[in-house]
Amino acid sequence: EIFSKIAQLEVLIIQEHLTVDAENTPYELQNLKTFEFTYSGLKYVPESFFSKMENLESIDLSFNDLGPLRNNLFENLRKLKNLQLSYNPMRVLTRGLFSDLVALETLNVNNCSLVTLPIGTFSGLNQLKNIFANRNQLKMLGRELFDDNKKLENIEFDYNELEIVDIDFTKFSNIKTMRFNLNACVNFTYNINDKADYIFALGSLLRIQCASEVPQEFRFLLKDLFDNLHEVGDKPYKDVVKSIKRQGILDFLRNLR
């Protein structure tokens, strides 16, 4: 209640097992831009908690004990750019949870025990640039998952159980980093039709499917092959991708050397 009386407050940071009485929400902090409530064992956030904080630009609820969040928790937070939810045992992100976050640029759900990302999870997030979803139990990324996220720059899905990535990453012209290290065995099922896409797919296979298997002594070959794909010629693109899948990356690189 003490916080709600400081109308001019712009930054509020709460850490290390301090408790906030959830029943005294919503806080009327209409000027608040940054809210951090971390390392506090928080198990529950009332659906109206942020309802009078419509100017928020950054929320950090990481390192708590939050389960699945209510669908309308982030309702009307149309200025929010940064949302940190990592290290909470949420298991699911309900469809529509982020639907009002039209300005969101960064979403961090690392280590949230997520087992699936249903189609529509990221719908409407047209400004989204960064998704961090490392250390979950995801097995598949569906074809339409990122259809509304054409501005994506950085995607991280390390340490999951991914077997299938059914996404056409060539649609994302701003992509800078894709990380899928230490997954079960990533297979890219999207249909690849032209030379440029083969270059992209081969680079993806080398960097994503196989990077965790490659000892240091082979890393230079991995980089060299990716950097010089334009010298391979028209014929081998499809064959090289098939060869890597068939032989395994280590045998493929040994033969190159």
Side-chain angles (χ1 to χ4, degrees):
E1 187 175 353
I2 185 174
F3 302 127
S4 64
K5 296 178 181 179
I6 310 175
Q8 73 278 13
L9 196 66
E10 293 188 2
V11 177
L12 176 57
I13 299 175
I14 302 170
Q15 288 186 352
E16 298 291 342
H17 303 291
L18 295 176
T19 59
V20 172
D21 185 359
E23 299 304 316
N24 286 332
T25 59
Y27 291 167
E28 297 188 16
L29 298 173
Q30 296 181 349
N31 291 311
L32 197 67
K33 294 182 179 179
T34 299
F35 179 80
E36 296 183 11
F37 193 172
T38 59
Y39 296 96
S40 298
L42 185 68
K43 295 180 181 291
Y44 168 71
V45 181
E47 61 186 36
S48 61
F49 192 87
F50 297 112
S51 63
K52 296 189 178 181
M53 303 183 200
E54 59 269 20
N55 287 309
L56 274 172
E57 296 178 0
S58 179
I59 294 175
D60 189 347
L61 298 174
S62 56
F63 293 94
N64 280 294
D65 197 21
L66 292 170
L69 300 176
R70 292 179 174 268
N71 240 14
N72 56 351
L73 179 62
F74 304 119
E75 199 171 47
N76 297 322
L77 297 183
R78 297 182 176 274
K79 296 181 180 180
L80 194 73
K81 296 181 179 180
N82 175 45
L83 180 56
Q84 303 287 324
L85 299 173
S86 61
Y87 288 84
N88 283 289
M90 297 166 55
R91 292 194 63 79
V92 296
L93 299 175
T94 54
R95 186 170 182 172
L97 177 63
F98 308 125
S99 59
D100 275 8
L101 304 183
V102 294
L104 193 68
E105 296 181 358
T106 298
L107 174 63
N108 188 334
V109 287
N110 287 341
N111 210 329
C112 286
S113 303
L114 300 176
V115 295
T116 184
L117 291 175
I119 301 301
T121 300
F122 307 120
S123 293
L125 303 184
N126 299 321
Q127 303 303 314
L128 193 63
K129 296 179 180 178
N130 309 297
I131 295 179
F132 305 113
N134 302 308
R135 297 183 182 276
N136 288 291
Q137 289 95 53
L138 299 169
K139 296 183 182 297
M140 176 181 178
L141 301 181
R143 179 168 297 192
E144 300 172 3
L145 184 62
F146 299 129
D147 273 5
D148 286 353
N149 317 128
K150 298 298 191 297
K151 293 187 178 181
L152 277 174
E153 295 180 3
N154 302 294
I155 301 172
E156 293 190 10
F157 284 87
D158 290 349
Y159 295 94
N160 277 280
E161 300 172 13
L162 285 171
E163 298 174 358
I164 297 175
V165 177
D166 189 16
I167 295 171
D168 178 10
F169 285 111
T170 63
K171 295 186 299 184
F172 304 103
S173 58
N174 297 323
I175 206 76
K176 296 176 181 177
T177 303
M178 297 195 307
R179 295 179 58 93
F180 291 80
N181 295 318
L182 296 172
N183 279 278
C185 181
V186 179
N187 288 307
F188 293 87
T189 62
Y190 196 87
N191 193 27
I192 299 170
N193 295 311
D194 60 36
K195 179 176 175 179
D197 287 354
Y198 281 122
I199 294 176
F200 193 92
L202 179 54
S204 297
L205 279 166
L206 292 173
R207 289 182 169 185
I208 295 168
Q209 181 177 353
C210 311
S212 62
E213 305 173 19
V214 179
Q216 194 64 38
E217 68 212 74
F218 289 109
R219 297 288 169 88
F220 75 97
L221 283 172
L222 202 65
K223 183 178 186 303
D224 185 64
L225 180 61
F226 180 76
D227 289 344
N228 294 285
L229 279 174
H230 62 280
E231 298 177 3
V232 176
D234 287 335
K235 173 184 172 291
Y237 288 113
K238 194 170 187 176
D239 294 341
V240 169
V241 173
K242 287 181 178 179
S243 181
I244 291 175
K245 285 185 174 181
R246 184 178 65 251
Q247 298 179 42
I249 187 62
L250 289 183
D251 285 343
F252 182 83
L253 292 176
R254 286 190 184 102
N255 290 335
L256 278 182
R257 191 166 69 166

